[in-house]
Amino acid sequence: METGEGAVRLRPPRNAPARRAVGWWRARCLLVAAAPVAVLVVLGALVAPARTWLTASAAVLAALGLLTAVLLPLWWFRAHRWEVTEDAVYVRTGIFQREWRIAPMSRIQTVDTVRGPLEQLFGLATVTVTTASAKGAVRIEGLDHETAADLVERLTRITQATPGDAT
């Protein structure tokens, strides 16, 4: 974040998720695809008249799931960026439709860390920064769990030292 003559200008966020986030996103894609594929395979085994269509559908869905798991996480890794300054937390996400989420330090209400089972397996964490925004919390996904802990500590220090916004 750069300031000059009363204006605040954001530069692109510098920090990328941990490289391991690609594997985490891949595993999530594969799990999402595996559930309907498993249902189709079981139904194909149980319903003989529809076996061909069900197993063909399962194969197509499995191929699409595999392709998605290979390509999308690489794309997401290139698109996801985050940064924390003394003034704000900001995150850029999105591939086709880029979204910038900015949380001024004076508006931050809570900072949380989430580590689901899959994130724990990959040594990752998600930091959630909550403000009073109707748009919802700012989420920084795919962080190394130690980086996430340091970030939460830093945000806590900065927000405690930042006067609240009176608006």
Side-chain angles (χ1 to χ4, degrees):
M1 182 174 289
E2 300 171 7
T3 58
E5 295 189 34
V8 175
R9 202 178 83 221
L10 291 177
R11 61 176 152 53
R14 294 181 180 166
N15 302 309
R19 190 73 184 147
R20 291 186 312 273
V22 173
W24 172 55
W25 288 323
R26 280 192 176 131
R28 284 175 40 188
C29 288
L30 290 172
L31 286 173
V32 166
V37 167
V39 169
L40 289 171
V41 167
V42 168
L43 286 174
L46 297 175
V47 183
R51 182 169 293 137
T52 302
W53 289 106
L54 290 169
T55 54
S57 297
V60 168
L61 192 55
L64 289 174
L66 187 59
L67 185 63
T68 298
V70 168
L71 298 178
L72 277 184
L74 294 173
W75 219 355
W76 291 335
F77 185 80
R78 291 185 54 171
H80 283 66
R81 293 291 181 265
W82 64 276
E83 186 148 358
V84 173
T85 67
E86 296 298 315
D87 301 313
V89 175
Y90 57 110
V91 178
R92 184 190 73 196
T93 58
I95 298 168
F96 296 113
Q97 180 176 330
R98 289 277 167 111
E99 180 179 24
W100 286 66
R101 299 289 314 279
I102 303 158
M105 290 298 174
S106 62
R107 307 287 286 184
I108 293 175
Q109 295 177 337
T110 62
V111 180
D112 301 302
T113 304
V114 176
R115 293 190 72 206
L118 213 50
E119 282 177 298
Q120 290 178 42
L121 183 67
F122 283 90
L124 300 171
T126 296
V127 172
T128 304
V129 179
T130 306
T131 66
S133 169
K135 185 81 170 166
V138 173
R139 293 174 44 91
I140 306 172
E141 294 185 342
L143 298 177
D144 175 83
H145 72 94
E146 291 174 0
T147 301
D150 292 343
L151 180 59
V152 168
E153 184 179 318
R154 179 175 176 215
L155 286 172
T156 301
R157 270 194 326 271
I158 294 171
T159 55
Q160 286 176 344
T162 303
D165 193 350
T167 56

